Amino acid sequence: MRKEFRIGELCKKKGLTLKQLAEGINIHPVSFTQALSDKGNPTFETLSKIAFFLQVDLSELFRPLHINNIIFDFDLTLINRSISDQYRKQRNWKKVFELIPQFTLYDGLNEVFSYIRDNNIQVTIVSFAKPDLIEATAKHFKIPYNFIIAGSQIENQKPHPESFYNALELMNCQPNEVISFGDSIKDYEAAKASNIKHVACLWDSKEEVTLKQLGCELFISSPSEIIDILLGK
């Protein structure tokens, strides 16, 4: 996934032309234009010179990447279905399905779902839950998804990365083109093993301290922050 430059925008703000910028960093204007084109690939040294000349951080030369692929955990990330715990333990699935309307969809997720639909973002739900239960719950709460990878469909459960590798294959994307959201240590470890960026969701998680100890760096406390993450903010 190639980052888009915002060098022209920065020059305009500073009252410069691209030709003046090229001359300021001692690069021929034609070579400079080619380097910034869609097929160009400016070196780190060139980018560093541009950032220094424009007096901005190197990261400011790029537009934020819009992530187009998501892996969502299910329980305690999208849905709290603890009301059905006793019936799940009893394997009374009829009662569990009857309780779906009483599951809790976390506040702010409907806005996230709208953003996902509007931007054609692919979603894979990875969970140990029964696939038909996930489907029924997603239908009731209008949760957008393209694929479901459920416990019964894979040999190795999280934290093993098998389910995440499968998600990459289904969505036809590379690890740097997807982001994972989940509440648990297992979610983080599966993402890390797959080289996928992971965001720990703390709205119903009790594992923040351990996640930090393990090296997790990204945490959000509200579903509304998911959109900011997808926008690269």
Short mmCIF file of all heavy atoms in Angstrom, two decimals, residues 162-211:
data_model
loop_
_atom_site.label_atom_id
_atom_site.label_comp_id
_atom_site.label_asym_id
_atom_site.label_seq_id
_atom_site.Cartn_x
_atom_site.Cartn_y
_atom_site.Cartn_z
N GLU A 162 -3.45 -18.82 13.09
CA GLU A 162 -4.12 -19.47 11.95
C GLU A 162 -5.33 -18.69 11.46
O GLU A 162 -5.51 -18.47 10.26
CB GLU A 162 -4.55 -20.89 12.32
CG GLU A 162 -5.28 -21.60 11.19
CD GLU A 162 -5.83 -22.97 11.59
OE1 GLU A 162 -5.41 -23.51 12.63
OE2 GLU A 162 -6.68 -23.49 10.84
N SER A 163 -6.19 -18.27 12.38
CA SER A 163 -7.41 -17.56 11.99
C SER A 163 -7.10 -16.23 11.31
O SER A 163 -7.79 -15.80 10.39
CB SER A 163 -8.32 -17.34 13.20
OG SER A 163 -7.63 -16.64 14.23
N PHE A 164 -6.01 -15.57 11.74
CA PHE A 164 -5.64 -14.29 11.14
C PHE A 164 -5.04 -14.50 9.76
O PHE A 164 -5.27 -13.71 8.84
CB PHE A 164 -4.67 -13.53 12.06
CG PHE A 164 -5.35 -12.83 13.20
CD1 PHE A 164 -6.31 -13.48 13.98
CD2 PHE A 164 -5.05 -11.52 13.51
CE1 PHE A 164 -6.94 -12.83 15.02
CE2 PHE A 164 -5.67 -10.85 14.55
CZ PHE A 164 -6.63 -11.52 15.31
N TYR A 165 -4.25 -15.56 9.60
CA TYR A 165 -3.74 -15.89 8.27
C TYR A 165 -4.89 -16.18 7.31
O TYR A 165 -4.88 -15.77 6.15
CB TYR A 165 -2.81 -17.10 8.33
CG TYR A 165 -1.47 -16.84 8.99
CD1 TYR A 165 -0.86 -17.82 9.77
CD2 TYR A 165 -0.81 -15.62 8.83
CE1 TYR A 165 0.37 -17.60 10.37
CE2 TYR A 165 0.41 -15.39 9.43
CZ TYR A 165 1.00 -16.38 10.20
OH TYR A 165 2.22 -16.16 10.79
N ASN A 166 -5.89 -16.90 7.82
CA ASN A 166 -7.07 -17.19 6.99
C ASN A 166 -7.80 -15.92 6.60
O ASN A 166 -8.29 -15.79 5.47
CB ASN A 166 -8.01 -18.13 7.73
CG ASN A 166 -7.46 -19.54 7.86
OD1 ASN A 166 -6.42 -19.86 7.30
ND2 ASN A 166 -8.14 -20.39 8.61
N ALA A 167 -7.89 -14.99 7.54
CA ALA A 167 -8.56 -13.71 7.25
C ALA A 167 -7.83 -12.94 6.15
O ALA A 167 -8.45 -12.37 5.25
CB ALA A 167 -8.64 -12.87 8.52
N LEU A 168 -6.50 -12.94 6.21
CA LEU A 168 -5.71 -12.27 5.17
C LEU A 168 -5.98 -12.88 3.81
O LEU A 168 -6.12 -12.17 2.81
CB LEU A 168 -4.22 -12.37 5.49
CG LEU A 168 -3.70 -11.58 6.69
CD1 LEU A 168 -2.24 -11.92 6.95
CD2 LEU A 168 -3.88 -10.09 6.49
N GLU A 169 -6.08 -14.20 3.77
CA GLU A 169 -6.33 -14.88 2.51
C GLU A 169 -7.73 -14.57 1.99
O GLU A 169 -7.91 -14.28 0.80
CB GLU A 169 -6.18 -16.39 2.70
CG GLU A 169 -6.31 -17.18 1.41
CD GLU A 169 -6.02 -18.66 1.59
OE1 GLU A 169 -5.55 -19.05 2.68
OE2 GLU A 169 -6.26 -19.43 0.64
N LEU A 170 -8.71 -14.58 2.87
CA LEU A 170 -10.09 -14.30 2.46
C LEU A 170 -10.24 -12.86 1.94
O LEU A 170 -10.95 -12.63 0.96
CB LEU A 170 -11.04 -14.53 3.63
CG LEU A 170 -11.29 -15.98 4.04
CD1 LEU A 170 -12.03 -16.04 5.37
CD2 LEU A 170 -12.09 -16.71 2.96
N MET A 171 -9.58 -11.92 2.60
CA MET A 171 -9.71 -10.52 2.21
C MET A 171 -8.71 -10.14 1.12
O MET A 171 -8.72 -9.01 0.64
CB MET A 171 -9.53 -9.62 3.44
CG MET A 171 -10.65 -9.77 4.45
SD MET A 171 -10.65 -8.52 5.77
CE MET A 171 -9.22 -9.04 6.73
N ASN A 172 -7.83 -11.10 0.77
CA ASN A 172 -6.84 -10.88 -0.29
C ASN A 172 -6.01 -9.62 -0.02
O ASN A 172 -5.90 -8.72 -0.85
CB ASN A 172 -7.53 -10.77 -1.66
CG ASN A 172 -6.54 -10.80 -2.81
OD1 ASN A 172 -5.47 -11.40 -2.69
ND2 ASN A 172 -6.87 -10.15 -3.91
N CYS A 173 -5.44 -9.56 1.17
CA CYS A 173 -4.65 -8.40 1.54
C CYS A 173 -3.40 -8.83 2.30
O CYS A 173 -3.28 -9.97 2.74
CB CYS A 173 -5.48 -7.42 2.37
SG CYS A 173 -6.05 -8.09 3.95
N GLN A 174 -2.47 -7.89 2.44
CA GLN A 174 -1.23 -8.11 3.17
C GLN A 174 -1.39 -7.64 4.61
O GLN A 174 -2.28 -6.84 4.93
CB GLN A 174 -0.09 -7.34 2.49
CG GLN A 174 0.18 -7.76 1.06
CD GLN A 174 0.58 -9.22 0.96
OE1 GLN A 174 1.43 -9.70 1.72
NE2 GLN A 174 -0.05 -9.94 0.03
N PRO A 175 -0.52 -8.11 5.52
CA PRO A 175 -0.64 -7.71 6.92
C PRO A 175 -0.65 -6.20 7.15
O PRO A 175 -1.34 -5.71 8.06
CB PRO A 175 0.60 -8.36 7.56
CG PRO A 175 0.85 -9.57 6.74
CD PRO A 175 0.52 -9.15 5.33
N ASN A 176 0.09 -5.45 6.31
CA ASN A 176 0.12 -3.99 6.50
C ASN A 176 -1.11 -3.29 5.95
O ASN A 176 -1.21 -2.07 6.03
CB ASN A 176 1.39 -3.40 5.87
CG ASN A 176 1.40 -3.51 4.36
OD1 ASN A 176 0.83 -4.45 3.79
ND2 ASN A 176 2.02 -2.55 3.69
N GLU A 177 -2.05 -4.06 5.40
CA GLU A 177 -3.27 -3.48 4.85
C GLU A 177 -4.49 -3.78 5.71
O GLU A 177 -5.61 -3.53 5.28
CB GLU A 177 -3.49 -4.01 3.43
CG GLU A 177 -2.39 -3.62 2.46
CD GLU A 177 -2.53 -4.29 1.11
OE1 GLU A 177 -2.99 -5.45 1.04
OE2 GLU A 177 -2.17 -3.64 0.10
N VAL A 178 -4.26 -4.31 6.89
CA VAL A 178 -5.38 -4.69 7.75
C VAL A 178 -5.06 -4.28 9.18
O VAL A 178 -3.89 -4.14 9.56
CB VAL A 178 -5.65 -6.22 7.66
CG1 VAL A 178 -4.45 -6.99 8.17
CG2 VAL A 178 -6.89 -6.63 8.44
N ILE A 179 -6.10 -4.06 9.96
CA ILE A 179 -5.93 -3.73 11.38
C ILE A 179 -6.88 -4.59 12.19
O ILE A 179 -8.00 -4.89 11.76
CB ILE A 179 -6.15 -2.22 11.62
CG1 ILE A 179 -5.73 -1.83 13.04
CG2 ILE A 179 -7.59 -1.81 11.36
CD1 ILE A 179 -5.55 -0.33 13.20
N SER A 180 -6.41 -4.99 13.35
CA SER A 180 -7.17 -5.88 14.22
C SER A 180 -7.67 -5.12 15.44
O SER A 180 -6.93 -4.32 16.03
CB SER A 180 -6.27 -7.05 14.65
OG SER A 180 -6.78 -7.69 15.80
N PHE A 181 -8.92 -5.39 15.82
CA PHE A 181 -9.49 -4.82 17.03
C PHE A 181 -9.98 -5.95 17.93
O PHE A 181 -10.74 -6.81 17.48
CB PHE A 181 -10.68 -3.90 16.70
CG PHE A 181 -10.31 -2.66 15.93
CD1 PHE A 181 -10.33 -2.65 14.55
CD2 PHE A 181 -9.94 -1.50 16.60
CE1 PHE A 181 -9.99 -1.52 13.82
CE2 PHE A 181 -9.60 -0.36 15.88
CZ PHE A 181 -9.62 -0.37 14.50
N GLY A 182 -9.55 -5.94 19.18
CA GLY A 182 -9.99 -6.98 20.11
C GLY A 182 -9.68 -6.59 21.54
O GLY A 182 -8.86 -5.71 21.80
N ASP A 183 -10.34 -7.28 22.47
CA ASP A 183 -10.21 -6.92 23.88
C ASP A 183 -9.18 -7.73 24.64
O ASP A 183 -8.76 -7.35 25.73
CB ASP A 183 -11.57 -7.09 24.58
CG ASP A 183 -11.97 -8.56 24.64
OD1 ASP A 183 -12.32 -9.13 23.58
OD2 ASP A 183 -11.92 -9.15 25.73
N SER A 184 -8.76 -8.87 24.09
CA SER A 184 -8.02 -9.83 24.92
C SER A 184 -6.56 -9.98 24.54
O SER A 184 -6.11 -9.56 23.46
CB SER A 184 -8.70 -11.20 24.83
OG SER A 184 -8.44 -11.80 23.57
N ILE A 185 -5.84 -10.62 25.44
CA ILE A 185 -4.43 -10.95 25.20
C ILE A 185 -4.32 -11.87 23.99
O ILE A 185 -3.41 -11.72 23.16
CB ILE A 185 -3.84 -11.63 26.45
CG1 ILE A 185 -3.78 -10.64 27.61
CG2 ILE A 185 -2.45 -12.18 26.16
CD1 ILE A 185 -3.50 -11.27 28.95
N LYS A 186 -5.24 -12.81 23.86
CA LYS A 186 -5.20 -13.74 22.73
C LYS A 186 -5.34 -13.02 21.40
O LYS A 186 -4.69 -13.37 20.41
CB LYS A 186 -6.30 -14.80 22.88
CG LYS A 186 -6.07 -15.76 24.03
CD LYS A 186 -7.18 -16.79 24.12
CE LYS A 186 -6.95 -17.76 25.27
NZ LYS A 186 -8.03 -18.77 25.36
N ASP A 187 -6.19 -11.99 21.36
CA ASP A 187 -6.34 -11.20 20.13
C ASP A 187 -5.02 -10.54 19.77
O ASP A 187 -4.58 -10.57 18.61
CB ASP A 187 -7.41 -10.12 20.31
CG ASP A 187 -8.79 -10.69 20.59
OD1 ASP A 187 -9.12 -11.73 20.01
OD2 ASP A 187 -9.52 -10.09 21.39
N TYR A 188 -4.39 -9.92 20.76
CA TYR A 188 -3.13 -9.21 20.53
C TYR A 188 -2.04 -10.17 20.06
O TYR A 188 -1.31 -9.88 19.10
CB TYR A 188 -2.68 -8.50 21.81
CG TYR A 188 -1.25 -8.02 21.76
CD1 TYR A 188 -0.86 -7.02 20.88
CD2 TYR A 188 -0.28 -8.60 22.59
CE1 TYR A 188 0.46 -6.59 20.83
CE2 TYR A 188 1.04 -8.18 22.54
CZ TYR A 188 1.41 -7.18 21.66
OH TYR A 188 2.71 -6.77 21.60
N GLU A 189 -1.92 -11.31 20.72
CA GLU A 189 -0.85 -12.25 20.38
C GLU A 189 -1.05 -12.85 18.99
O GLU A 189 -0.08 -13.07 18.26
CB GLU A 189 -0.76 -13.34 21.45
CG GLU A 189 -0.25 -12.79 22.78
CD GLU A 189 -0.08 -13.87 23.83
OE1 GLU A 189 -0.80 -14.90 23.74
OE2 GLU A 189 0.75 -13.69 24.74
N ALA A 190 -2.30 -13.11 18.61
CA ALA A 190 -2.57 -13.63 17.27
C ALA A 190 -2.21 -12.59 16.21
O ALA A 190 -1.63 -12.91 15.16
CB ALA A 190 -4.03 -14.04 17.15
N ALA A 191 -2.56 -11.33 16.48
CA ALA A 191 -2.23 -10.25 15.54
C ALA A 191 -0.72 -10.06 15.43
O ALA A 191 -0.17 -9.94 14.33
CB ALA A 191 -2.90 -8.96 15.98
N LYS A 192 -0.05 -10.06 16.57
CA LYS A 192 1.41 -9.88 16.58
C LYS A 192 2.11 -10.98 15.81
O LYS A 192 3.02 -10.73 15.01
CB LYS A 192 1.91 -9.84 18.02
CG LYS A 192 3.41 -9.58 18.15
CD LYS A 192 3.82 -9.52 19.61
CE LYS A 192 5.33 -9.28 19.72
NZ LYS A 192 5.76 -9.25 21.14
N ALA A 193 1.66 -12.21 16.00
CA ALA A 193 2.26 -13.35 15.30
C ALA A 193 2.02 -13.28 13.80
O ALA A 193 2.76 -13.88 13.01
CB ALA A 193 1.71 -14.66 15.86
N SER A 194 0.99 -12.54 13.39
CA SER A 194 0.64 -12.40 11.97
C SER A 194 1.20 -11.12 11.37
O SER A 194 0.94 -10.82 10.21
CB SER A 194 -0.88 -12.39 11.80
OG SER A 194 -1.49 -13.44 12.49
N ASN A 195 1.94 -10.33 12.18
CA ASN A 195 2.47 -9.03 11.75
C ASN A 195 1.37 -8.05 11.38
O ASN A 195 1.51 -7.23 10.47
CB ASN A 195 3.44 -9.21 10.56
CG ASN A 195 4.69 -9.94 10.95
OD1 ASN A 195 5.30 -9.65 11.98
ND2 ASN A 195 5.09 -10.91 10.14
N ILE A 196 0.25 -8.15 12.10
CA ILE A 196 -0.89 -7.27 11.87
C ILE A 196 -0.98 -6.25 13.01
O ILE A 196 -0.87 -6.61 14.19
CB ILE A 196 -2.19 -8.08 11.78
CG1 ILE A 196 -2.21 -8.91 10.48
CG2 ILE A 196 -3.43 -7.18 11.85
CD1 ILE A 196 -3.37 -9.87 10.38
N LYS A 197 -1.19 -5.01 12.65
CA LYS A 197 -1.35 -3.96 13.66
C LYS A 197 -2.59 -4.24 14.50
O LYS A 197 -3.66 -4.53 13.96
CB LYS A 197 -1.49 -2.60 12.95
CG LYS A 197 -1.62 -1.41 13.87
CD LYS A 197 -1.68 -0.13 13.03
CE LYS A 197 -1.82 1.12 13.88
NZ LYS A 197 -1.89 2.34 13.05
N HIS A 198 -2.45 -4.15 15.82
CA HIS A 198 -3.56 -4.47 16.71
C HIS A 198 -3.90 -3.29 17.61
O HIS A 198 -3.01 -2.60 18.12
CB HIS A 198 -3.22 -5.68 17.59
CG HIS A 198 -4.33 -6.05 18.52
ND1 HIS A 198 -5.49 -6.68 18.09
CD2 HIS A 198 -4.49 -5.86 19.86
CE1 HIS A 198 -6.28 -6.87 19.12
NE2 HIS A 198 -5.71 -6.37 20.20
N VAL A 199 -5.19 -3.09 17.82
CA VAL A 199 -5.68 -2.07 18.73
C VAL A 199 -6.47 -2.76 19.83
O VAL A 199 -7.44 -3.47 19.56
CB VAL A 199 -6.58 -1.04 18.00
CG1 VAL A 199 -7.10 0.00 18.99
CG2 VAL A 199 -5.82 -0.37 16.87
N ALA A 200 -6.05 -2.56 21.06
CA ALA A 200 -6.74 -3.16 22.20
C ALA A 200 -7.95 -2.32 22.57
O ALA A 200 -7.84 -1.10 22.77
CB ALA A 200 -5.79 -3.27 23.39
N CYS A 201 -9.09 -2.96 22.66
CA CYS A 201 -10.37 -2.29 22.95
C CYS A 201 -10.70 -2.48 24.42
O CYS A 201 -10.92 -3.60 24.88
CB CYS A 201 -11.46 -2.87 22.06
SG CYS A 201 -11.10 -2.77 20.29
N LEU A 202 -10.75 -1.38 25.16
CA LEU A 202 -10.80 -1.46 26.61
C LEU A 202 -12.18 -1.27 27.21
O LEU A 202 -12.33 -1.29 28.43
CB LEU A 202 -9.85 -0.42 27.22
CG LEU A 202 -8.37 -0.54 26.84
CD1 LEU A 202 -7.56 0.55 27.54
CD2 LEU A 202 -7.83 -1.92 27.21
N TRP A 203 -13.23 -1.10 26.38
CA TRP A 203 -14.53 -0.77 26.96
C TRP A 203 -15.13 -1.90 27.79
O TRP A 203 -16.02 -1.67 28.58
CB TRP A 203 -15.52 -0.30 25.90
CG TRP A 203 -15.51 -1.03 24.60
CD1 TRP A 203 -16.22 -2.13 24.28
CD2 TRP A 203 -14.75 -0.68 23.44
NE1 TRP A 203 -15.97 -2.51 22.98
CE2 TRP A 203 -15.07 -1.62 22.43
CE3 TRP A 203 -13.86 0.35 23.14
CZ2 TRP A 203 -14.52 -1.58 21.16
CZ3 TRP A 203 -13.30 0.39 21.88
CH2 TRP A 203 -13.63 -0.55 20.91
N ASP A 204 -14.67 -3.11 27.62
CA ASP A 204 -15.16 -4.20 28.47
C ASP A 204 -14.03 -5.20 28.75
O ASP A 204 -14.28 -6.38 29.00
CB ASP A 204 -16.34 -4.92 27.82
CG ASP A 204 -17.41 -5.31 28.83
OD1 ASP A 204 -17.13 -5.23 30.04
OD2 ASP A 204 -18.52 -5.68 28.42
N SER A 205 -12.79 -4.70 28.68
CA SER A 205 -11.62 -5.56 28.88
C SER A 205 -11.05 -5.38 30.27
O SER A 205 -11.05 -4.28 30.82
CB SER A 205 -10.53 -5.24 27.85
OG SER A 205 -9.35 -5.97 28.13
N LYS A 206 -10.54 -6.46 30.82
CA LYS A 206 -9.90 -6.41 32.14
C LYS A 206 -8.41 -6.75 32.02
O LYS A 206 -7.77 -7.12 33.00
CB LYS A 206 -10.59 -7.39 33.09
CG LYS A 206 -12.06 -7.08 33.35
CD LYS A 206 -12.69 -8.12 34.26
CE LYS A 206 -14.14 -7.76 34.59
NZ LYS A 206 -14.99 -7.71 33.39
N GLU A 207 -7.87 -6.62 30.80
CA GLU A 207 -6.51 -7.10 30.56
C GLU A 207 -5.54 -6.00 30.15
O GLU A 207 -4.48 -6.28 29.61
CB GLU A 207 -6.55 -8.20 29.50
CG GLU A 207 -7.40 -9.40 29.94
CD GLU A 207 -7.39 -10.55 28.94
OE1 GLU A 207 -7.05 -10.33 27.76
OE2 GLU A 207 -7.74 -11.66 29.36
N GLU A 208 -5.89 -4.73 30.43
CA GLU A 208 -5.05 -3.62 29.99
C GLU A 208 -3.63 -3.72 30.53
O GLU A 208 -2.66 -3.56 29.78
CB GLU A 208 -5.67 -2.28 30.42
CG GLU A 208 -4.82 -1.08 30.01
CD GLU A 208 -5.44 0.24 30.42
OE1 GLU A 208 -6.51 0.23 31.07
OE2 GLU A 208 -4.86 1.29 30.09
N VAL A 209 -3.48 -3.99 31.81
CA VAL A 209 -2.14 -4.01 32.42
C VAL A 209 -1.27 -5.08 31.76
O VAL A 209 -0.12 -4.83 31.38
CB VAL A 209 -2.24 -4.26 33.95
CG1 VAL A 209 -0.86 -4.47 34.54
CG2 VAL A 209 -2.93 -3.09 34.63
N THR A 210 -1.82 -6.28 31.62
CA THR A 210 -1.05 -7.37 31.02
C THR A 210 -0.74 -7.09 29.56
O THR A 210 0.37 -7.40 29.08
CB THR A 210 -1.82 -8.70 31.14
OG1 THR A 210 -2.17 -8.92 32.50
CG2 THR A 210 -0.97 -9.86 30.65
N LEU A 211 -1.69 -6.50 28.83
CA LEU A 211 -1.44 -6.16 27.43
C LEU A 211 -0.28 -5.19 27.30
O LEU A 211 0.58 -5.34 26.42
CB LEU A 211 -2.70 -5.56 26.82
CG LEU A 211 -3.80 -6.55 26.41
CD1 LEU A 211 -5.12 -5.84 26.19
CD2 LEU A 211 -3.39 -7.31 25.15
#
